[in-house]
Amino acid sequence: VKRGSNKTQCDCGVYALKYIECHARGLDLSLMHDDNINTARMKIACDLFDAANDPVFIDRMSRYESISWETEEIDLDPDL
């Protein structure tokens, strides 16, 4: 991302999500800048709203069961 982006310092989450998207799609990061970040924020909000009202997604989430993780304590030797 070019230097001086995120001048409002309120868009770091939007920049992070768009950075991940650009990286995953192999897009040039220069596409992200303050002039279009508000549009990106609105698109993310609309996508989240649509997902929250998607009947298939709602059904899947109603049947979601979290995975239990087994943990064990590890005693670290400070002399190593």
Side-chain angles (χ1 to χ4, degrees):
V1 179
K2 69 180 183 179
R3 188 178 187 100
S5 294
N6 195 16
K7 291 179 184 164
T8 65
Q9 300 176 349
C10 297
D11 297 318
C12 54
V14 179
Y15 270 102
L17 288 173
K18 295 311 281 183
Y19 175 82
I20 292 167
E21 180 182 5
C22 285
H23 183 69
R25 293 182 177 196
L27 299 173
D28 186 12
L29 296 178
S30 67
L31 297 171
M32 296 183 335
H33 49 80
D34 285 347
D35 294 338
N36 66 8
I37 203 69
N38 193 46
T39 302
R41 176 199 308 255
M42 295 301 174
K43 175 143 180 23
I44 292 168
C46 289
D47 289 345
L48 289 171
F49 181 83
D50 289 344
N53 292 293
D54 183 325
V56 173
F57 183 73
I58 291 169
D59 178 58
R60 288 181 181 170
M61 289 306 294
S62 70
R63 294 182 282 121
Y64 173 77
E65 294 181 21
S66 63
I67 299 170
S68 64
W69 294 91
E70 292 184 25
T71 60
E72 63 181 73
E73 281 190 34
I74 300 173
D75 190 20
L76 298 177
D77 184 1
D79 296 328
L80 292 179

